Amino acid sequence: MNKTEFIDAVAAKAGLSKVDGKKAVEAMIKTIQGEMKKGEKVSILGFGSFSVVKKAARKGVNPQTKKAINIPAREVVKFKPGATLAKAVK
């Protein structure tokens, strides 16, 4: 499912027009992005939680040249599914 199909599905389930469905999905995405940018955790009960995790710098190997490289520290987004979502997928 791509973003357009997701918007259509949300609009249909919520009884909204496609334009209103797009606005709702866009607002949700921007809200989550804004909180993640601040380093905050976003928890949606029954769905899951998004958090920012700091990964330490480490050594790696370039698979083409087999030379050692340094991989810098960075922040990544982590998603942990909620119990309801995990149960629904099983």
Side-chain angles (χ1 to χ4, degrees):
M1 175 179 276
N2 63 31
K3 187 175 179 180
T4 304
E5 293 168 340
F6 181 71
I7 290 170
D8 292 344
V10 168
K13 289 193 185 224
L16 302 171
S17 68
K18 288 184 182 183
V19 173
D20 289 338
K22 182 176 182 178
K23 286 179 185 177
V25 170
E26 292 291 336
M28 184 188 89
I29 291 170
K30 286 181 182 179
T31 302
I32 292 172
Q33 285 176 344
E35 291 302 307
M36 300 297 294
K37 197 171 193 177
K38 291 190 261 182
E40 297 291 325
K41 183 177 181 179
V42 178
S43 296
I44 303 170
L45 188 63
F47 181 69
S49 58
F50 298 89
S51 59
V52 177
V53 177
K54 293 181 183 183
K55 289 197 159 199
R58 58 189 170 96
K59 300 252 185 224
V61 176
N62 182 331
Q64 292 180 337
T65 63
K66 306 295 184 212
K67 290 185 179 179
I69 58 172
N70 291 321
I71 301 170
R74 62 191 179 126
E75 292 181 342
V76 297
V77 175
K78 178 181 173 186
F79 176 74
K80 182 178 179 192
T84 306
L85 177 61
K87 192 175 182 180
V89 173
K90 284 188 178 182

